[in-house]
Amino acid sequence: MIDVIINNTAYSIDDSLPISLMDYLRDELGLKSVKDGCNQGACGTCTVIIDGVAQRSCSQLSSLEDDIEIVTIEGLSEREKDVYDFAFAEAGAVQCGFCIPGMVLSTKALLDKNLQPSDDEIKHALRRNICRCTGYVKIIEAVHLAARYFREDLAITEQHCDGKLDSNLHRVDAREKTLGYGEYVDDMSLPNMLHGKALRTPAPRARIIKIDIEKAQQHPDAVCVLTAADIPGDNKHGHLVQDWDSLIAEGNTTRYVGDALALVASKNPLSLNAILQLIEVEYEELEPLTSPAEAMLPDAPKIHPGGNILCNEKLVRGDAETAINNAAHVVTQHYSTPFTEHAFMEPECAIALIENQDVLLYTGAQGIYDDQHEVSRVLGIGEERVRVHSKLVGGGFGGKEDMSVQHHAALLAWHSKQPVKVKLTRQESIMIHPKRHAMEIEMTTACDESGKLVGMQAKIISDTGAYASLGGPVLQRACTHAAGPYSFKDVAVYGTAVYTNNPPGGAFRGFGVSQVAFALESNMNLLAEKVGLSPWQIRHLNAVRPGQALPNGQIADQSTGLVECLEALKEIYQSSPRAGIAVSFKNSGLGVGIPDHGRAILSVEAGKVHVRTSAACIGQGVATVAVHIVCEVTGLSPEEIVVEAPDTARTPNSGTTTASRQTVFTGEAIRRAAQSLQQALAAEVTLSDLNSQEFYGEYASDTDPINSDKPNPVSHVAYGYAAQVVLLDEQGKVEKVAAAYDLGKVINRKSAEGQIEGGIVMGLGYALTEDYPLVKAVPKTNYKGLKLFKATDIPHIETMIVEREFDPEVALGAKGVGELATIPTAPATQGAYYALDGKFRTKLPLEATAYSPKPKKKPTRRVRR
Ligand code: FES
Ligand code: FES
């Protein structure tokens, strides 16, 4: 036993327990501000203060010493809680929130010793805390602000804000996330709750001959052990294509290393692995298909019954071949982009239970109605019998669109009749959920003597891995955006998505556009060189202007501000010989003729307006957007508005959080509902007079299919535009990133800036360090090995938002920025290195940079004499 003080209370802890301090704090003491982000000592979400020093708590209890004093967020004084809450909210430093309690404790450990820290001292203090959302910029601002409030003993005064557009409204969820009492699914514990886990395949491609669960069933902690034979509904699920087995049945062949063979529910989470080990699997290991090239060979084994081609997509307008043949300058290059791991801070977790013979599912995913649809399919029951309620979501970036744990939790609860929590370890998360697609891109771009683009051709091969996930739409967006935000008309883009035995490719911030933008924008630099223009000039010459047609034929609307973005960056670009520049655009909404709806109910309850919509907040802040819009339209104050959590029993279906669509689609639905509420209020009644009344708003986009024969089809309802400049120092390190964004009307400036800063840092990781190495289709990395940017790695980031005067219609003129934030960074970085050393890099992460792994020295052999 060891004696410790935790938050001013004495405890004697049995340090022989095979658990970590983090587990002890969370599970035994209920201190849920301590978050489990990796359990590998690599992320910092479990940070506590031990004897005045910020330390990770996910190491074993046995490593603790006697008489230490431990502090978690719960142990802070009220003054400290108020200051940190205010500082993080005021700076706009909170997004998904999962990293924030750890950040606060690293901050406290610093400020307890130094109330006037420099930027470098703050970055050093936060170096062990990863944030995947914010890019650290606003967290560093929050630390400065907190230091000032403590240093000058300033009072926290009540914030008065009218909530109108672009007012300084704090995020509605800032306090609960900063102080760690907001609940993510893993923070829940229910009476009689079991713990579930899946047995994964022993090899990416293996023929499963027999699964024997008998011994596992005998384990005293095992409550149920399931195989595919126990699935009451359809074993197959899938977001758009139902090709994904919930459990691989005997006689079938696995498709990737994350395939599940059996499920176990245990009374004790610590015995899960022991029970899984008792399951005996007889199998024949088969050679995996590790690349599209292998999978497209005529004699390649078929991964799915229909073969190894998921889909072909194309965008063809005009006559690209003739345009290129007649062009003054032509550039052709081949580009390779890798799989990328989302590395959201909160690993996947779901809890399912049975209530009145129906299922109640708690999730932290990107669309509760997707979960409802898919779980009901697997259970073979009507959708109305599955209620899904979302808890806070600790980041997603597209990686929580597919089911990962929800269906397994539901199956185990269905059979055991007890609540079951299924939570992935960080290593399982890295292995299982779909990644950003690896792509091979052959791109030809052509211009006339003056540098005006005249045509382009591209061939894209996308590795969609073992399952379709969103491989079709991702490939389609790659095709629709491959010609960039430029005004020319002769394009021919062909894409093929190929099944392999690699982990699935799926949605990831950028949705196929990150990959093609790297190829196109790099080609633009070579064209500029041939013409004798600067990279800035060739982009300015070709950038689409309001009223001109994009390569897909859509007329750029009056809000289009790409030229203004470029002009805002001209001076910065010209200030250094080591500068790179790139532009991009990104759609808001699904578009291309696919039905897409935003829906919201505003109900007046006990004198407050409840905003009810299923839109998932994965960190971007859709709840705060909702409050702004209601305040703007009705004149009500933020204190009169409550935003409810997504719940299929309460909130109408507003679609998935994907395609940068929630601000536009849900925002417009809320605006329409708010207009009805405003009309009711105009009859000189108070809110309380409207108690129990509901106001409904719905918005459906009207778009044309891809390759429509209309001369100017509407592919998407809105596009945001962006330009970024990357400056390198003389040592080849990124010194500064400047970004100018046209995201339409600003709803909440700090949130928008936070999205851009976070996107840039994610983009720098994509450009320079992040990799997802696979050996024979098996991922060979842990969380640390992903090489995410830390606070100490970030350059100076300058963000500018360009707003054009125009008549706002949909969502008060907002266009969404979530994905656009990250797209131009990799090509701008490529351009900067090309300017630095003249080496034209065509592969991500970029090779031979100051960030590349140093070549390993050959071991020198000692010779004994
Ligand atoms: S949970 Fe301890 S460092 Fe990630
Ligand atoms: S706010 Fe830091 S990881 Fe999401």
Side-chain angles (χ1 to χ4, degrees):
M1 300 293 278
I2 52 166
D3 294 321
V4 300
I5 308 278
I6 301 173
N7 296 338
N8 295 320
T9 304
Y11 293 90
S12 279
I13 304 178
D14 178 359
D15 57 343
S16 67
L17 290 173
I19 59 171
S20 64
L21 173 61
M22 172 182 75
D23 292 333
Y24 181 81
L25 296 171
R26 286 179 57 80
D27 301 336
E28 302 296 319
L29 303 188
L31 300 172
K32 302 289 189 183
S33 70
V34 184
K35 304 293 183 201
D36 177 4
C38 72
N39 212 351
Q40 295 178 344
C43 75
T45 58
C46 64
T47 299
V48 298
I49 296 179
I50 301 180
D51 287 344
V53 179
Q55 296 196 37
R56 294 151 176 169
S57 63
C58 58
S59 52
Q60 289 296 297
L61 279 179
S62 55
S63 65
L64 295 183
E65 289 175 14
D66 242 340
D67 295 329
I68 55 173
E69 188 168 348
I70 298 168
V71 179
T72 71
I73 295 277
E74 290 84 349
L76 300 188
S77 68
E78 287 310 306
R79 165 73 177 161
E80 286 175 313
K81 286 181 182 171
D82 286 346
V83 169
Y84 287 122
D85 166 33
F86 170 78
F88 275 71
E90 175 68 14
V94 180
Q95 292 189 26
C96 85
F98 205 75
C99 72
I100 299 297
M103 292 283 182
V104 168
L105 289 177
S106 289
T107 302
K108 174 180 160 55
L110 170 71
L111 300 189
D112 282 352
K113 297 187 179 82
N114 176 4
L115 275 182
Q116 196 133 20
S118 65
D119 268 3
D120 283 348
E121 286 168 330
I122 294 171
K123 288 178 183 177
H124 181 77
L126 303 180
R127 70 195 180 285
R128 295 201 186 96
N129 297 78
I130 300 286
C131 176
R132 192 61 164 156
C133 298
T134 65
Y136 306 99
V137 178
K138 297 211 178 315
I139 291 178
I140 293 166
E141 285 171 26
V143 178
H144 279 300
L145 192 57
R148 186 161 77 82
Y149 268 67
F150 288 128
R151 196 170 63 233
E152 299 175 16
D153 198 21
L154 299 176
I156 305 294
T157 48
E158 191 122 325
Q159 192 210 11
H160 294 292
C161 176
D162 63 11
K164 298 248 169 101
L165 297 197
D166 207 7
S167 61
N168 185 28
L169 179 67
H170 287 183
R171 275 184 71 117
V172 297
D173 50 6
R175 188 172 175 89
E176 61 175 334
K177 287 178 171 175
T178 303
L179 301 183
Y181 63 83
E183 272 194 340
Y184 301 83
V185 182
D186 189 34
D187 297 331
M188 295 177 67
S189 187
L190 300 175
N192 299 320
M193 189 172 80
L194 305 175
H195 297 266
K197 192 172 168 94
L199 178 73
R200 306 287 163 181
T201 174
R205 187 161 167 261
R207 194 168 67 82
I208 303 301
I209 298 162
K210 189 165 171 46
I211 304 171
D212 187 344
I213 59 172
E214 208 177 311
K215 286 186 189 145
Q217 287 173 316
Q218 308 306 319
H219 191 288
D221 287 343
V223 176
C224 72
V225 184
L226 308 177
T227 64
D230 300 305
I231 294 178
D234 193 338
N235 189 0
K236 297 275 188 192
H237 69 271
H239 209 62
L240 300 172
V241 180
Q242 283 73 48
D243 63 354
W244 200 328
D245 295 73
S246 300
L247 292 171
I248 301 288
E250 286 180 350
N252 288 351
T253 299
T254 64
R255 302 186 183 88
Y256 89 114
V257 73
D259 274 333
L261 307 184
L263 296 173
V264 163
S266 168
K267 293 176 215 160
N268 180 356
L270 297 179
S271 56
L272 275 170
N273 287 336
I275 301 171
L276 289 176
Q277 278 167 14
L278 294 173
I279 300 174
E280 291 170 1
V281 180
E282 196 185 323
Y283 66 98
E284 178 193 0
E285 186 164 348
L286 304 168
E287 198 60 30
L289 296 172
T290 60
S291 69
E294 285 175 20
M296 286 193 290
L297 291 174
D299 57 350
K302 286 182 181 174
I303 294 172
H304 290 278
N308 294 344
I309 303 299
L310 167 63
C311 62
N312 291 296
E313 293 286 352
K314 64 176 182 181
L315 178 78
V316 178
R317 289 184 71 83
D319 181 354
E321 196 176 342
T322 304
I324 290 168
N325 287 341
N326 295 333
H329 303 289
V330 179
V331 163
T332 300
Q333 288 285 335
H334 185 98
Y335 297 90
S336 301
T337 65
F339 282 110
T340 321
E341 160 66 27
H342 302 76
F344 36 72
M345 300 301 289
E346 178 210 18
E348 299 89 332
C349 186
I351 296 175
L353 59 147
I354 307 301
E355 267 192 355
N356 303 324
Q357 303 188 338
D358 292 343
V359 176
L360 171 57
L361 183 67
Y362 292 99
T363 65
Q366 294 186 218
I368 53 170
Y369 282 92
D370 298 331
D371 290 345
Q372 181 191 48
H373 177 71
E374 300 218 47
V375 165
S376 68
R377 178 187 175 91
V378 171
L379 293 181
I381 58 177
E383 290 185 2
E384 72 288 351
R385 294 188 60 195
V386 178
R387 176 181 170 189
V388 184
H389 179 99
S390 180
K391 306 299 286 183
L392 294 179
V393 185
F397 312 114
K400 290 180 180 169
E401 285 195 39
D402 299 87
M403 282 209 298
S404 53
V405 286
Q406 300 92 320
H407 55 326
H408 288 168
L411 280 165
L412 288 167
W414 188 257
H415 283 275
S416 68
K417 307 287 178 242
Q418 285 179 245
V420 182
K421 177 189 280 188
V422 178
K423 171 187 168 185
L424 297 188
T425 63
R426 176 54 71 177
Q427 216 48 39
E428 287 177 307
S429 177
I430 286 172
M431 190 169 74
I432 290 163
H433 70 251
K435 315 300 168 194
R436 178 187 276 132
H437 287 81
M439 290 189 186
E440 297 294 321
I441 303 164
E442 182 90 15
M443 183 167 283
T444 297
T445 321
C447 67
D448 66 15
E449 288 288 354
S450 71
K452 276 293 247 182
L453 289 170
V454 293
M456 69 85 71
Q457 286 178 324
K459 193 172 169 201
I460 303 164
I461 303 290
S462 168
D463 185 343
T464 206
Y467 296 104
S469 177
L470 288 147
V474 166
L475 180 66
Q476 204 179 59
R477 275 311 67 66
C479 292
T480 55
H481 287 64
Y486 298 119
S487 184
F488 68 112
K489 66 175 179 51
D490 293 302
V491 301
V493 184
Y494 296 92
T496 303
V498 185
Y499 286 118
T500 65
N501 291 119
N502 291 325
F508 193 139
R509 193 180 203 175
F511 212 80
V513 185
S514 304
Q515 294 93 320
V516 293
F518 172 62
L520 173 70
E521 290 296 290
S522 300
N523 261 16
M524 290 295 283
N525 296 339
L526 293 181
L527 272 184
E529 203 170 67
K530 287 189 175 225
V531 180
L533 294 174
S534 78
W536 184 91
Q537 286 169 323
I538 197 166
R539 286 169 174 83
H540 191 259
L541 181 69
N542 288 287
V544 71
R545 273 98 170 143
Q548 292 182 340
L550 285 157
N552 64 13
Q554 179 159 345
I555 301 295
D557 68 27
Q558 288 307 308
S559 75
T560 302
L562 180 58
V563 167
E564 287 83 349
C565 290
L566 277 164
E567 286 169 357
L569 296 178
K570 184 177 182 184
E571 229 171 86
I572 295 172
Y573 175 73
Q574 290 176 342
S575 70
S576 167
R578 300 177 296 278
I581 188 164
V583 298
S584 190
F585 72 140
K586 185 69 182 68
N587 54 291
S588 300
L590 306 179
V592 292
I594 298 168
D596 198 1
H597 293 84
R599 299 185 183 94
I601 295 169
L602 301 186
S603 55
V604 184
E605 300 176 34
K608 298 228 178 203
V609 176
H610 285 235
V611 180
R612 289 159 50 191
T613 166
S614 76
C617 175
I618 58 174
Q620 83 282 32
V622 67
T624 309
V625 167
V627 173
H628 274 295
I629 291 176
V630 176
C631 291
E632 177 75 23
V633 175
T634 63
L636 293 169
S637 71
E639 294 73 29
E640 294 172 292
I641 299 160
V642 175
V643 183
E644 294 194 13
D647 186 328
T648 53
R650 289 277 298 168
T651 58
N653 188 351
S654 206
T656 312
T657 292
T658 188
S660 304
R661 60 180 292 285
Q662 290 298 10
T663 294
V664 175
F665 281 73
T666 302
E668 174 62 9
I670 292 169
R671 187 187 71 82
R672 292 179 180 195
Q675 273 186 330
S676 304
L677 170 62
Q678 171 56 13
Q679 280 161 14
L681 287 168
E684 291 188 12
V685 294
T686 66
L687 258 188
S688 298
D689 295 326
L690 298 176
N691 268 344
S692 49
Q693 288 199 34
E694 291 186 355
F695 303 87
Y696 180 71
E698 179 168 333
Y699 168 63
S701 64
D702 187 12
T703 56
D704 298 306
I706 189 170
N707 294 308
S708 157
D709 53 12
K710 288 185 184 172
N712 297 110
V714 175
S715 185
H716 292 93
V717 287
Y719 291 108
Y721 297 85
Q724 284 185 16
V725 169
V726 169
L727 304 181
L728 300 179
D729 65 17
E730 285 176 6
Q731 285 69 47
K733 284 268 186 182
V734 179
E735 188 171 49
K736 175 171 176 165
V737 180
Y741 275 69
D742 156 30
L743 42 81
K745 185 76 191 157
V746 173
I747 303 271
N748 184 297
R749 190 163 296 266
K750 283 177 190 157
S751 289
E753 288 172 357
Q755 287 288 307
I756 296 169
E757 290 155 1
I760 286 171
V761 172
M762 191 177 265
L764 286 172
Y766 187 47
L768 293 166
T769 56
E770 288 180 36
D771 207 353
Y772 184 75
L774 294 163
V775 176
K776 289 213 157 206
V778 178
K780 294 289 177 190
T781 183
N782 55 17
Y783 198 76
K784 187 168 178 220
L786 295 171
K787 303 193 202 111
L788 309 176
F789 262 55
K790 299 183 192 129
T792 42
D793 298 323
I794 63 163
H796 177 58
I797 296 174
E798 185 178 346
T799 303
M800 298 165 225
I801 295 177
V802 167
E803 271 184 285
R804 277 177 61 89
E805 284 300 318
F806 76 109
D807 236 1
E809 286 176 20
V810 174
L812 302 166
K815 295 201 281 194
V817 67
E819 297 180 277
L820 183 61
T822 206
I823 296 169
T825 316
T829 309
Q830 192 269 10
Y833 279 99
Y834 187 47
L836 175 79
D837 61 15
K839 188 170 178 323
F840 192 79
R841 294 160 173 86
T842 56
K843 196 167 174 284
L844 292 175
L846 300 173
E847 292 172 328
T849 73
Y851 299 83
S852 304
K854 306 276 171 284
K856 281 191 187 142
K857 279 189 192 157
K858 277 193 183 157
T860 47
R861 191 186 283 173
R862 273 205 195 141
V863 181
R864 269 205 188 144
R865 292 176 192 276

